[in-house]
Amino acid sequence: MPSLQQIRAALDGSGQAHVLRFWSELSEEEKEAFLQELGQLDLQRLEEHCQAAAEAAGAAPASSSQNLDPNLEPVPPESMGSVRRSDPESLAGWEHEGQNQNLVS
């Protein structure tokens, strides 16, 4: 497993140093697991992907929003479920439904 210093250098070299921003807040077990996950990343490929995505976003024509349906609007927040705003009974029902859907798949 790569060391924290190796991971930090690799992340910094690929423009992803922010990934370790909350490192000090992790427990020792979380740090070890996170280092293992980070050690499996192909940071060069990740950097290339991020650059390509940024270029694609920058290449989108400024008038692309004119192609959207003028009647299209975001879903109002009150129409969406939220773990923070829901009562325990609703959460239990959603969990049960999720388990049922998993059994069907």
Side-chain angles (χ1 to χ4, degrees):
M1 176 172 67
S3 69
L4 175 59
Q5 291 76 17
Q6 291 170 317
I7 294 290
R8 190 180 305 274
L11 287 168
D12 190 44
S14 63
Q16 300 296 317
H18 62 277
V19 168
L20 295 175
R21 181 176 174 195
F22 299 103
W23 179 259
S24 63
E25 297 179 25
L26 300 175
S27 70
E28 289 306 313
E29 295 80 24
E30 291 170 326
K31 288 177 180 178
E32 184 176 327
F34 195 33
L35 269 183
Q36 287 179 351
E37 291 178 19
L38 292 172
Q40 296 175 12
L41 291 177
D42 181 347
L43 293 172
Q44 178 63 37
R45 191 162 179 231
L46 176 61
E47 181 180 15
E48 292 168 2
H49 170 77
C50 291
Q51 287 175 348
E55 289 171 12
S63 63
S64 65
S65 62
Q66 294 174 349
N67 295 334
L68 295 177
D69 182 337
N71 297 317
L72 186 64
E73 296 180 7
V75 175
E78 61 272 7
S79 297
M80 296 174 53
S82 169
V83 171
R84 294 182 194 161
R85 295 188 315 260
S86 298
D87 58 275
E89 294 81 24
S90 294
L91 293 174
W94 291 345
E95 182 177 359
H96 181 72
E97 180 62 26
Q99 291 170 348
N100 286 340
Q101 293 296 324
N102 191 29
L103 294 174
V104 174
S105 311

